[in-house]
Amino acid sequence: MTHYYYAACTLGLEQVLYDELRALGLAEQDVRVRRGGCDFRGDAATGYRACLWLRSAVRVQHELGRDRVRDRDQLYRLASEIDWSRCITPLQTLAVDASVRDSFANDT
């Protein structure tokens, strides 16, 4: 099963991160350089290898949902469509920590 991930890094280290992901065995078409990190795709083992071996990434995030949103209402709708029961139970809590860069939303 293919999963989508985002690895964040310090600005300016995107190419280093890209090279590290390629060294993990990811194909060129499976990695995309973005400002402040790289998108990549692979199976769960790929995600685990990234968490274990990437040195330039400050974190590796597993994407639970993906869509283009243009305002807060669309973002809220996308978040409400995610099957959160795959990650947490009704007895657990969810904390949201956000940082915004180059976005329509200028507050977190």
Side-chain angles (χ1 to χ4, degrees), residues 42-101:
D43 59 11
T46 299
Y48 295 137
R49 279 197 317 275
C51 288
L52 183 61
W53 296 110
L54 293 178
R55 297 178 56 109
S56 59
V58 295
R59 71 182 154 275
V60 176
Q61 300 166 321
H62 180 190
E63 293 185 10
L64 301 177
R66 177 185 282 211
D67 202 357
R68 183 172 298 278
V69 296
R70 300 193 194 305
D71 58 37
R72 286 179 175 82
D73 291 335
Q74 290 178 344
L75 180 59
Y76 182 80
R77 191 172 16 259
L78 174 63
S80 67
E81 292 171 356
I82 293 173
D83 179 10
W84 293 103
S85 67
R86 297 181 331 191
C87 308
I88 60 175
T89 71
L91 300 176
Q92 294 175 305
T93 59
L94 174 69
V96 176
D97 182 22
S99 61
V100 178
R101 178 177 55 218

Side-chain angles (χ1 to χ4, degrees), residues 29-48:
Q29 67 269 17
D30 292 332
V31 183
R32 184 176 64 135
V33 175
R34 293 180 44 195
R35 184 174 184 260
C38 289
D39 285 328
F40 64 100
R41 64 182 178 195
D43 59 11
T46 299
Y48 295 137

Side-chain angles (χ1 to χ4, degrees), residues 96-108:
V96 176
D97 182 22
S99 61
V100 178
R101 178 177 55 218
D102 302 332
S103 174
F104 64 83
N106 57 9
D107 61 341
T108 56

